[in-house]
């Protein structure tokens, strides 16, 4: 573990250079890793672990769409794919990658297979941080660890196949065996992390819930919708409004930010664009800061967690979710986006 300076603040990080894949395999050579759940994070993490040479199995409900997806991805029933209880029995490390609501429902089943010395692995601090609301309290004689890739399972797998990595945080909630650190770092390297930075379960879930509702998803959609609406109300066409709102940001400017930072992106835009951006970023910060402060307070109080638990546990949750997603998909903004994507040059190469 190395100390790295981030803007004057030192943090603990682990890189693939100091903890290479061979070392990770050696640490986990006698372990059986059971990935429970094959939804958002399960496919990417399990396939990356398998391709990296770890002993990994998948636990999933039989006769479900996700069971069929696992079979299609190459997991073999009775060999590497099992019902959830059997996978937990076979495992020394249980990666609990179901949705937060599903983790609550299945916890009594999982808990009885957490025998001394096993490790319980999360990719989200939700269940343990809000244990008074979830009822998830791990036994004292197992390691409780976390690796949280900073992106979707789809991105984790895609970057892995490109020979790249997705940065992840790691945390240790409980070290019952004395091996929790080497276990969590080996798993982080195994699932395809670029580098690992230290956190704890509470900080992970607070930052994650804030980010998802903020700049990663909720805020960015709100900003897109507002700018698109203003442009359309002032006579701009859907194509022009979408290109100036979404396409240029995602296809041109964000890659420049990813390469070398915001100042470098500014320096590679016109002087008119630079001037306007420098003049306007503070008013946008000042306008949104109270919203982010309110959001963080709702996360820290547990209100956001409770809303998620209550909503996601309802029997008609999937139906209502599909309706909300359909509303987004069928909005003029994203209908315009669908057309624009078909016109990108790479889609039209012979």
């Amino acid at each position: 573990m190395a100390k790295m300076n981030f803007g004057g603040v030192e943090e603990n990080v682990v890189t693939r250079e100091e903890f290479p894949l061979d070392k990770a395999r050696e640490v986990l050579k006698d372990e059986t890793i059971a990935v429970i759940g094959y939804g958002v994070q399960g496919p990417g993490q399990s396939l990356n672990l398998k391709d990296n040479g770890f002993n990994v199995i998948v636990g999933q409900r039989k006769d479900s769409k996700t069971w069929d997806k696992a079979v299609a991805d190459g997991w073999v029933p009775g060999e590497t794919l099992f019902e959830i209880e059997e996978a937990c029995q076979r495992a020394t490390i249980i990666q609990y990658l179901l949705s937060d609501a599903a983790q609550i429902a299945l916890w009594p089943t999982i808990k009885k297979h957490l025998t001394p010395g096993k490790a319980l692995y999360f990719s989200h601090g939700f269940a343990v941080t809000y244990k008074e609301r979830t009822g998830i309290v791990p036994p004292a004689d197992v390691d409780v660890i976390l690796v949280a890739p900073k992106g979707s399972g789809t991105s984790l797998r895609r970057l892995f196949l490109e020979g790249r990595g997705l940065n992840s945080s790691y945390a240790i909630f409980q070290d019952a065996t004395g091996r929790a650190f080497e276990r969590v770092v080996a798993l982080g390297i195994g699932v395809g992390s670029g580098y690992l930075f230290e956190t704890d379960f509470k900080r992970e879930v607070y930052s994650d819930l804030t980010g998802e509702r903020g700049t990663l998803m909720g805020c960015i959609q709100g900003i897109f919708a507002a700018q698109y609406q203003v442009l359309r109300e002032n006579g701009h066409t859907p194509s022009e409004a979408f290109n100036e709102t979404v396409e240029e940001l995602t296809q041109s400017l964000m890659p420049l930010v990813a390469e070398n930072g915001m100042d470098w992106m500014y320096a590679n835009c016109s002087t008119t664009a630079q001037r306007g951006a420098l003049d306007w970023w503070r008013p946008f910060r000042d306008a949104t800061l109270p919203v982010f402060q309110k959001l963080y307070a709702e996360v820290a109080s547990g209100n956001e967690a409770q809303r998620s638990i209550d909503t996601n546990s309802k029997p008609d949750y999937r139906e209502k979710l599909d309706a909300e997603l359909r509303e987004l998909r069928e909005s003029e903004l994203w209908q315009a986006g669908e057309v624009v994507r078909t016109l990108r040059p790479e889609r039209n190469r012979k």
Side-chain angles (χ1 to χ4, degrees), residues 153-165:
T154 301
S155 299
L156 183 72
R157 181 61 176 166
R158 180 182 298 145
L159 290 172
F160 176 86
L161 293 174
E162 293 174 0
R164 301 159 63 195

Side-chain angles (χ1 to χ4, degrees), residues 104-146:
I104 296 169
L106 197 65
W107 177 241
T109 299
I110 300 297
K111 186 177 181 180
K112 67 183 180 182
H113 295 292
L114 288 171
T115 52
K118 287 192 176 186
L120 178 62
Y121 166 113
F122 294 90
S123 282
H124 193 23
F126 190 101
V128 171
T129 299
Y130 299 115
K131 58 183 179 296
E132 293 83 3
R133 300 169 187 268
T134 66
I136 295 178
V137 180
D141 51 10
V142 301
D143 292 343
V144 183
I145 55 181
L146 173 149

Side-chain angles (χ1 to χ4, degrees), residues 17-91:
E17 287 70 30
E18 64 178 298
F19 206 106
L21 186 57
D22 285 345
K23 182 176 179 179
R25 290 194 195 104
E26 179 64 23
V27 166
L28 300 179
K29 65 180 181 180
D30 297 322
E31 305 264 24
T32 297
I33 305 161
V35 175
I36 306 302
Y38 209 73
V40 176
Q41 282 287 336
Q45 293 201 32
S46 61
L47 291 169
N48 289 1
L49 283 165
K50 182 174 75 168
D51 289 350
N52 272 333
F54 294 87
N55 181 23
V56 57
I57 59 178
V58 171
Q60 186 53 46
R61 291 186 299 275
K62 201 170 184 179
D63 299 324
S64 65
K65 290 181 180 179
T66 42
W67 176 280
D68 295 340
K69 175 173 168 45
V71 172
D73 285 345
W75 301 100
V76 180
E79 295 182 17
T80 55
L81 176 61
F82 302 93
E83 291 270 13
I84 289 172
E85 285 219 49
E86 184 171 355
C88 289
Q89 288 172 348
R90 291 171 175 265

Side-chain angles (χ1 to χ4, degrees), residues 269-329:
C269 293
S270 71
T271 55
T272 301
Q274 290 172 22
R275 184 68 268 142
L278 290 167
D279 288 344
W280 278 91
W281 78 261
R282 287 181 180 86
F284 278 109
R285 177 200 60 192
D286 295 344
T288 58
L289 183 59
V291 181
F292 278 99
Q293 290 169 331
K294 179 180 179 181
L295 166 57
Y296 194 87
E298 286 292 283
V299 169
S301 71
N303 290 341
E304 278 297 305
Q306 194 62 53
R307 273 193 288 273
S308 178
I309 292 169
D310 292 345
T311 302
N312 298 353
S313 300
K314 291 179 179 177
D316 62 349
Y317 163 69
R318 179 59 59 180
E319 180 182 337
K320 289 185 176 178
L321 172 66
D322 289 344
E324 290 181 283
L325 294 177
R326 185 168 59 252
E327 181 183 356
L328 276 181
R329 184 172 62 252

